[in-house]
């Protein structure tokens, strides 16, 4: 008998979190306060190339380019060059600073933080499917767990915490694909769908039993064509309920 499960990323799939990411990284790079006026041009640049980043540590290098960019045409090449000269100690320190800054933002400016992250239509559709049918659902995200729980519960989506695997859990694996495959094996799942807005994460999936969906509504690379929110919902419904598209 088939046992199915849905795996979802959080940032760029359930919620538009780009503004939160921008403000935290801007603060860490040059000390600009969370409430300071948004530089629209710089924010658009940060958003446009965000697809290059799929782990928090990568912001350490991304910020060095984005916040002092003079030539947009070299952003991607410059970023890749910096990754060839990684400094693990500085990355680790940056990750701690990033997570601490987010925790402080939530703790001291909770209402402001809540308004930074906007739910996509996809979120409400998934919430309804889950609540109506109790499908097997796991969130796999490099965001810290407390912020995911806080955001979900603020929208009354009470997914049990044991089905939320965040940075604290995923850092033990080389990739999201490895985590998904091990989770399925340990829990006897036979088929799955995995939705993420970054092709680098989807590309780590090697199992033929996991269908991957690129969320075009998130921060996807311009040369990667994904599904729309409704197309993804249709695929998920068909996967679980055998309905026609």
């Amino acid at each position: 008998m088939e046992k199915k499960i849905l795996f979802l990323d959080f940032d760029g799939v359930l919620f538009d979190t780009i503004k939160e990411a921008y403000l935290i990284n801007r603060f860490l790079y040059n000390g600009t306060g969370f409430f300071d006026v948004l530089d629209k041009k710089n924010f658009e640049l940060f958003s446009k190339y965000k697809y290059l980043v799929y782990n928090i540590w990568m912001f350490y290098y991304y910020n060095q380019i984005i916040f002092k960019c003079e030539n947009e045409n070299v952003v991607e090449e410059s970023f890749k060059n910096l990754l060839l000269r990684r400094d693990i100690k500085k990355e680790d320190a940056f990750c701690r600073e990033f997570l601490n800054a987010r925790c402080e933002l939530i703790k001291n400016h909770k209402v402001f933080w809540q308004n930074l992250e906007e739910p996509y239509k996809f979120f409400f559709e998934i919430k309804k499917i889950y609540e109506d049918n109790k499908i097997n659902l796991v969130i796999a995200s490099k965001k810290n767990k407390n912020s995911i729980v806080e955001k979900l519960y603020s929208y009354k989506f009470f997914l049990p915490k044991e089905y939320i695997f965040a940075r604290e859990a995923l850092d033990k694996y080389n990739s999201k694909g490895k985590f998904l495959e091990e989770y399925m094996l340990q829990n006897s799942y036979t088929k799955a769908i995995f939705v993420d807005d970054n092709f680098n994460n989807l590309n780590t999936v090697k199992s033929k039993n996991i269908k991957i969906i690129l969320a075009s509504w998130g921060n996807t690379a311009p040369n990667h064509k994904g599904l729309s929110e409704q197309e993804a919902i249709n695929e998920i419904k068909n996967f679980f309920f055998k309905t026609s598209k």
Side-chain angles (χ1 to χ4, degrees), residues 77-89:
E77 181 182 356
S78 298
F79 180 70
K80 290 179 178 178
N81 287 336
L82 284 179
L83 293 185
L84 296 175
R85 305 188 299 273
R86 290 180 59 184
D87 188 322
I88 304 300
K89 287 185 178 179

Side-chain angles (χ1 to χ4, degrees), residues 32-46:
T32 304
F34 296 128
F35 300 104
D36 286 8
V37 176
L38 206 69
D39 181 330
K40 186 177 180 181
K41 185 177 179 180
N42 187 242
F43 176 64
E44 289 175 351
L45 184 70
F46 181 94

Side-chain angles (χ1 to χ4, degrees), residues 9 39 48 51 58 63 75 93 101 103 136 167:
D9 183 32
D39 181 330
K48 183 176 180 178
Y51 68 87
M58 300 175 87
N63 293 346
V75 167
C103 288
N136 297 311
R167 175 181 171 79

Side-chain angles (χ1 to χ4, degrees), residues 91-103:
E91 290 173 13
D92 289 344
F94 175 83
C95 287
R96 289 192 295 272
E97 291 172 357
F98 184 97
L99 296 173
N100 287 338
R102 175 183 280 152
C103 288

Side-chain angles (χ1 to χ4, degrees), residues 9-59:
D9 183 32
F10 185 86
D11 294 342
V13 172
L14 294 176
F15 283 82
D16 179 358
T17 61
I18 193 71
K19 189 175 288 186
E20 183 221 41
Y22 178 77
L23 293 182
I24 292 175
N25 281 291
R26 186 181 68 170
F27 168 74
L28 293 176
Y29 185 77
N30 57 29
T32 304
F34 296 128
F35 300 104
D36 286 8
V37 176
L38 206 69
D39 181 330
K40 186 177 180 181
K41 185 177 179 180
N42 187 242
F43 176 64
E44 289 175 351
L45 184 70
F46 181 94
S47 303
K48 183 176 180 178
Y49 292 95
K50 164 64 176 60
Y51 68 87
L52 294 170
V53 176
Y54 49 95
N55 275 304
I56 291 176
W57 63 264
M58 300 175 87
F59 278 124

